[in-house]
Structures are given as C-alpha cells and as structure tokens.
Amino acid sequence: MNAPAVLAPSVAAELAAIVGPAHLLTDEADLISYGYDGTWYESRPICVVLPGTTEEVRAIHRVAARERLAITPRAMGSGLSGGAVPLAGSIVLGVMRLGRILEIDEVNAVAVVQAGVITADLQKAVEARGFFYPPDPSSLKQSAIGGNVSENAGGARCLKYGVTADYVAALEVVLPGGELIRTGGKMVKNVTGYDLRALFTGAEGTLGTITEITLRLLRKPGFSKTATAAFASIEAAAATVVAVLNAGLLPTSIELMDRLTMQCIEEHRPSGLPVDAEALLLFAVDGNYEEIVDAELARVAEIARASGAFATRVAASAAESARLWEARRGISPALARKSPNKLGEDISVPRSELVATVRAIRAIAARNDLFIPIFGHAGDGNLHPNILCDRRDAVQMARVRIAAREIFEAAVAAGGTLSGEHGIGVLKKQFMELDLGTEAVALMRRIKDAVDPLGIMNPGKIFPDPGGPGAFVL
Ligand SMILES: Cc1cc2nc3c(=O)[nH]c(=O)nc-3n(C[C@H](O)[C@H](O)[C@H](O)COP(=O)(O)OP(=O)(O)OC[C@H]3O[C@@H](n4cnc5c(N)ncnc54)[C@H](O)[C@@H]3O)c2cc1C
C-alpha cells in the first residue's frame, strides 16, 4: 500500500460527519498519543476516529476501503507486541467509546459487551450478580475486552480456567470493506461451519474490527486462598509444579518468580518476598467449600516441601493474599523502574521443558551480559523473561537483539512457541516462520488475503517483512 502522509480534507470531512467532529482527532498531540502501545514502538497515524456505534464503524471501514487507507483497530493500547501501533499513514480506529455492557444473561450464563468495555469493569459487574469471568491479564484495569479477544489474552488463572478464547461464545465483526458478520451465539454447542470465532480471536486486528462480544460466564467460586513455596533451585520449583498437578490437584494458578524478579519487586515496593530464595511459587486454590479449599492448599504446601521447598506459607488472611497478588501484578511496573527500557518476552514451553528453558535463558543473559529477570505462569509453561536495557545504548541494544533471538530459538527448540498470550504484533513477526514453518505462515497469508484482499487491516503486523525487518526494528 502507498500510505498517504496526510489526511485529505474531503476524507476528513467525511469521517467527521460519521463520528461527529469531536471524535475525529487530527491534532499533533493526539496523533502522538495514539501512536504507542505498551511497547517502545511508536508511529503516527494520519488520524484517530472514535466511533460510538457499530454502524459508525462500518461507515469508517467503507471510506477506508474506498480510499485504500489502512485501519489499525485499538482498544486500550496496553498491548505488549506493538499490535495497536499504526503503520505510518493508517487510521487508528479506537473502540473505547463502544464501552457498554449490553446484557448479563443469567439463564444462559453469558455477558454481551461492546469491544471497549474494560476487563476489570466487566468482572466487577458480573461478580455483583454472583457470576465469574475468569480471564485475568495483569493489565485487567487497563485493557479492554476487544483487545483481550484480539490478543487471546491469558493471565494467572489460565491453568484452571483457560484463556480468553475459551470464553468467546459469539462475535460481531466489521470486515475490512464494512460488511458485518455475527458468528457464534449463546448456545453451548455449535459446530456449524468453520469456527470463525476462533479465526477472529487472536487475529490482532488483521482481519476486521470486533465490535461486540458474547462471553461465557461461570458461577463465582465462594473461596479463593493463597500459598507460597520458596526454593533454593529452579529445578525443585519445577518438580513441585508437576508433583502438584500429578497429585490430582488443579490450582487456579501456579506463578513463578525468580530471585532477580523478587529483588526488583522488593526494591520497588517491599512485599515481604523471600529474596534469599532462588525461586518462589505462588499458588491460588479456589472452590465452593472452604474446608476443601483449605485441605487442598495444605496438600499443595505438603507436596512442595516434599519436592524441596525450604519454606511454605499459607496466607493467613484475605489481606495477606491480596498483598501477594498485588506484588505479582506489580512485577512489570517494578521492572520498568529498574532500567530505562525493558523488552518483555512471552515464550511458552511444555512443562517438561521449564527447567531447561530457564537454564537456557540464564545462559543467554550471562553470554550477552544482560540482566534478565524471569517470571511467569509456571503451571502453563508460559515464561516472561524481561530483558532490561537502555535503548540509547547502541552497543547494549545489539546484544539485546541477539538475546531476544536466542530466547525465541530456545523456546522453539524446546517444542514451545514465541508467544503464550501477548501476541506477535511487530515484535516477533520476523520469527513467525522459525516457529510455524513457511507453509503454515503462507496458509495464514492466504487466509488474510481472502478476508482482507486490499490489505488494509492493521498492515505490517504478524507476518514477517520479506528481506528482513521493515518499518519496525527492535
Ligand atoms: C502491565 C501489563 C501487564 C500485562 N499483563 C498481561 C497478562 O497477564 N496477560 C496478557 O495476556 N496480556 C497482558 N498484557 C498485555 C495486554 O494488556 C493484553 O494484550 C491486552 O489484551 C491488550 O488489550 P488492549 O485493550 O490494551 O488492546 P490494544 O493494545 O489496544 O490492542 C491489542 C491488539 O488488538 C487489536 N485490537 C484491539 N481492539 C480490537 C478490536 N475491537 N477489533 C479488532 N482488533 C482489535 C489491536 O489492533 C492490537 O493488535 C499486559 C500489559 C501490561 C502493560
């Protein structure tokens, strides 16, 4: 696509007529603000449009298709792979005004929401009615359901409850040319035709704009309690994960923090974490009967001690439990204070490869003289090695690039993948073929071409640039 540098006045007038002049942003300050996400990438759109209805989204798409203008859908811009950062010349289509919870259907146990509803707000609203929406990205107060669905977001509760895709019952999607499709419904079973819900979930805005989502709900468990186990080695921590699961227990979460991560948290906001330990596992167990939750948590602690934990502790109160989970959610901000920049990775490996992968990352850190704290969802094998760095230091950044590649190679060699929950965006697109192979990526390109023949939906994302990194480089 030949992207224009500026918005033609006639197109600006047409977009302003669709969304109302107040919801078409063209000021320099706005263009800069909407050119970021949670990564360090930045780029400027030609304008930002903030539609208030699905019909407005359709009209914007029709104009964009006619004018061959690219659209980058954007929810809350908290993404960690550069997906919401517009390629130069794109329109940013922000869904934050589509912010209504349309229905909480208690009989069918579903919520129907617009794409801009904040994840934590939905959780609060359904919990007030005794229901439970389990997907819990740490960013739940900053991210929206449209972004969660488009990245297929995960979180600490995935071990027991699965990822966002497991809760998507139906989607309303505006296709690149402005056509509207609805896929799925409130029914429990549905195998009619290709599973288009699955296609658009995790598509990172490359196939269309999601406007409305029907989400499955569960009943809220009555009790949730927390325990920690401290280990002198990562091996003992990993052995505990397997032993707990093989004992027939299914904790809500098993989270891992290594010593470097705990040190960063304690420097930022002291939380009483055992910084003398090499690794800490944080467990949550939930259920409807307090005696069973207590018994299961006690058994988890017993197994951890038998597998080598030198200290275990069951949180004595809801306040202590909340403090531990606050510390867990505070890892990203704590790491962000430690160095001017950080490159957060999101590899996912089979549980059997957890130890070897942590060892490989430590060797990569030592070899490249980099500080790489490791934390993540140990129960899922989803690790977040964060490379702390300073982008102004060109020599260090050359080592960061090498380390990032080596981490991806280690994950793939272990039978794992580039991303467990943050998506590909621009950050990992050059490694897609390393992970999936050329044929699978070629098939994905054919699907993209079929849905978006003009190539106007979030261009520059997911697919590797031929001949090396194009518009975005690390
Ligand atoms: C501190 C912090 C902690 C985080 N923790 C987690 C975590 O635990 N688990 C996790 O999974 N992620 C986590 N993230 C990453 C991020 O919050 C998630 O990827 C989240 O799902 C993005 O939501 P968003 O609303 O900010 O989407 P955005 O960043 O705005 O968009 C993300 C992608 O979705 C596309 N998109 C957005 N809305 C639509 C739409 N309506 N239709 C089509 N495409 C759309 C965009 O084009 C982009 O490609 C974290 C981020 C931060 C900053």
Side-chain angles (χ1 to χ4, degrees):
M1 282 185 65
N2 290 326
V6 289
L7 185 64
S10 60
V11 178
E14 208 174 342
L15 292 173
I18 293 167
V19 292
H23 303 302
L24 170 70
L25 311 180
T26 53
D27 282 358
E28 191 72 355
D30 288 321
L31 300 186
I32 291 171
S33 306
Y34 285 87
Y36 286 91
D37 69 352
T39 61
W40 59 48
Y41 291 106
E42 60 179 292
S43 174
R44 237 168 264 194
I46 47 168
C47 67
V48 178
V49 279
L50 304 173
T53 65
T54 296
E55 276 314 308
E56 290 179 12
V57 175
R58 297 186 67 187
I60 294 162
H61 271 262
R62 281 194 288 265
V63 172
R66 191 194 68 217
E67 299 294 326
R68 305 291 194 265
L69 289 170
I71 289 181
T72 293
R74 180 185 180 91
M76 291 303 289
S78 73
L80 291 177
S81 52
V85 178
L87 200 66
S90 302
I91 296 173
V92 164
L93 192 165
V95 298
M96 37 298 240
R97 286 182 63 228
L98 298 172
R100 283 189 306 134
I101 297 175
L102 300 171
E103 185 188 6
I104 296 174
D105 175 341
E106 299 196 5
V107 175
N108 292 303
V110 294
V112 183
V113 304
Q114 290 185 308
V117 169
I118 302 293
T119 315
D121 292 347
L122 172 69
Q123 290 183 337
K124 231 165 48 201
V126 303
E127 284 175 24
R129 310 267 285 265
F131 284 88
F132 181 44
Y133 176 65
D136 61 337
S138 297
S139 54
L140 53 87
K141 290 183 186 158
Q142 300 122 313
S143 66
I145 297 295
N148 293 171
V149 171
S150 299
E151 295 288 6
N152 193 3
R157 296 195 287 232
C158 287
L159 177 62
K160 179 169 182 179
Y161 290 107
V163 295
T164 301
D166 296 310
Y167 295 86
V168 176
L171 291 176
E172 178 187 85
V173 186
V174 176
L175 298 180
E179 309 90 332
L180 187 74
I181 64 155
R182 286 178 168 275
T183 172
K186 290 181 177 179
M187 69 296 271
V188 173
K189 297 174 80 178
N190 178 356
V191 296
T192 308
Y194 294 146
D195 187 352
L196 296 180
R197 280 171 307 173
L199 180 63
F200 287 98
T201 301
E204 303 192 31
T206 60
L207 298 178
T209 300
I210 298 168
T211 45
E212 193 184 295
I213 303 125
T214 302
L215 293 165
R216 296 188 198 292
L217 304 174
L218 303 178
R219 292 301 292 182
K220 187 168 166 51
F223 301 91
S224 178
K225 300 200 179 186
T226 305
T228 57
F231 300 86
S233 74
I234 199 83
E235 286 80 359
T240 298
V241 172
V242 176
V244 165
L245 296 172
N246 285 355
L249 298 162
L250 184 52
T252 323
S253 317
I254 308 180
E255 296 290 295
L256 169 78
M257 302 177 202
D258 74 352
R259 186 204 295 263
L260 294 180
T261 304
M262 286 190 277
Q263 283 168 348
C264 291
I265 296 172
E266 290 300 313
E267 279 171 29
H268 173 50
R269 184 182 293 175
S271 305
L273 299 178
V275 286
D276 54 332
E278 197 53 44
L280 182 79
L281 290 180
L282 179 60
F283 296 91
V285 169
D286 69 5
N288 285 323
Y289 303 98
E290 192 167 16
E291 324 77 83
I292 295 179
V293 171
D294 287 340
E296 287 193 355
L297 210 54
R299 180 82 186 111
V300 165
E302 196 179 293
I303 293 171
R305 282 192 298 275
S307 303
F310 66 78
T312 59
R313 178 170 172 79
V314 173
S317 62
E320 184 180 349
S321 174
R323 184 174 52 72
L324 286 165
W325 287 103
E326 210 44 57
R328 167 62 187 85
R329 274 192 287 274
I331 293 176
S332 271
L335 298 185
R337 285 179 154 237
K338 188 81 184 157
S339 66
N341 304 105
K342 70 182 176 69
L343 181 64
E345 294 303 354
D346 172 43
I347 55 170
S348 180
V349 296
R351 272 199 292 270
S352 56
E353 302 301 317
L354 211 52
V355 170
T357 307
V358 170
R359 279 203 197 121
I361 295 167
R362 286 184 172 167
I364 290 165
R367 201 163 53 239
N368 292 293
D369 189 21
L370 292 166
F371 191 67
I372 311 185
I374 304 170
F375 64 99
H377 315 294
D380 311 335
N382 185 189
L383 294 173
H384 297 313
N386 270 240
I387 309 177
L388 304 193
C389 54
D390 182 346
R391 288 188 74 205
R392 296 164 299 187
D393 181 343
V395 177
Q396 187 194 51
M397 287 309 291
R399 298 201 306 277
V400 169
R401 274 189 285 279
I402 293 170
R405 167 180 282 280
E406 289 179 347
I407 290 173
F408 293 143
E409 286 170 349
V412 171
T417 190
L418 303 177
S419 177
E421 55 185 25
H422 296 165
I424 300 302
V426 291
L427 195 58
K428 299 158 212 162
K429 63 180 182 174
Q430 292 309 122
F431 301 94
M432 281 287 271
E433 289 178 344
L434 168 77
D435 187 333
L436 303 177
T438 48
E439 287 81 5
V441 174
L443 175 61
M444 287 185 187
R445 277 193 203 274
R446 291 204 295 278
I447 293 169
K448 160 80 173 164
D449 290 345
V451 180
D452 179 21
L454 299 173
I456 58 176
M457 283 313 299
N458 211 3
K461 310 299 163 61
I462 294 186
F463 296 104
D465 293 316
F472 296 95
V473 283
L474 194 64

